[in-house]
Amino acid sequence: MKAEDKTKIKSIAFIGVLLAFAVSVGYFERLIPPVIASVPGIKLGLPNIAVIILLYVKDYKTAFILNILRVIISGLLFTGIWGIFYGLSGALVSFGVMSGLKKTGKFGVAGVSAAGGVSHNLGQIFLAVLIVNNIKLFYYFPVLIISGIFAGLVTGYISGIIIIRLGKINHESLF
């Protein structure tokens, strides 16, 4: 077997492991009750760790494909068609923001992730406003900004540690 074939096989296996991680951790994250019962829909977004890792250790296309696949697979298995729509609305907006910020080189992994957390919430709020035809849903957005920053920093920090261990960035690039 050629060396390039071995590299390709290792890459496919790595991506497969990350996809399995994203789907399974997403399922377990759904089982965790909300920290604040009166604030629905707030999650850490741990499946995004896989996307962030691929943004930094592979390429944008691979990260994008994994992002879409994890939302669709999770939706088909756990949340249904509306879960897919809401998941995709957040995933697409956040991926665009994270990709753009990463390309600037001015933000560390945690900063990129925090912006992704906020923009994910924004994408979902936009979809909800369109579906229920009520602009007042944006009153909830300040809560989602705070939770998105916090969740994004947590997932970004975890992702950064993994990326550092994979040898793709140095400690200074974490924040």
Side-chain angles (χ1 to χ4, degrees):
M1 184 179 289
K2 297 178 189 174
E4 64 187 46
D5 291 338
K6 287 181 182 180
T7 302
K8 197 177 246 183
I9 291 169
K10 286 180 183 179
S11 179
I12 291 169
F14 179 66
I15 294 164
V17 166
L18 285 176
L19 180 58
F21 165 80
V23 172
S24 60
V25 79
Y27 172 73
F28 289 113
E29 191 175 61
R30 290 183 212 319
L31 299 176
I32 301 169
V35 177
I36 305 169
S38 63
V39 186
I42 294 177
K43 303 225 178 286
L44 280 175
L46 296 174
N48 291 316
I49 291 171
V51 177
I52 295 164
I53 290 170
L54 284 179
L55 270 175
Y56 283 86
V57 303
K58 287 293 277 173
D59 54 65
Y60 294 96
K61 180 181 174 185
T62 305
F64 180 79
I65 291 169
L66 181 126
N67 198 19
I68 300 305
L69 284 175
R70 76 161 178 90
V71 170
I72 292 171
I73 292 169
S74 293
L76 291 173
L77 291 174
F78 314 124
T79 62
I81 192 74
W82 287 109
I84 293 172
F85 286 136
Y86 278 101
L88 285 175
S89 68
L92 293 173
V93 173
S94 68
F95 188 82
V97 168
M98 290 190 304
S99 297
L101 291 179
K102 181 188 178 288
K103 284 179 185 175
T104 69
K106 296 180 181 181
F107 299 89
V109 178
V112 167
S113 179
V118 172
S119 56
H120 181 91
N121 291 339
L122 180 62
Q124 290 189 328
I125 282 285
F126 266 116
L127 182 62
V129 166
L130 290 173
I131 289 172
V132 300
N133 198 24
N134 188 346
I135 196 86
K136 291 182 181 179
L137 290 175
F138 277 108
Y139 290 141
Y140 189 50
F141 192 57
V143 172
L144 294 177
I145 290 173
I146 294 166
S147 68
I149 291 170
F150 174 75
L153 288 173
V154 169
T155 58
Y157 183 74
I158 294 168
S159 301
I161 289 170
I162 295 167
I163 295 164
I164 288 168
R165 299 230 174 180
L166 292 171
K168 299 297 180 178
I169 64 170
N170 58 32
H171 288 85
E172 293 80 30
S173 299
L174 190 53
F175 293 100

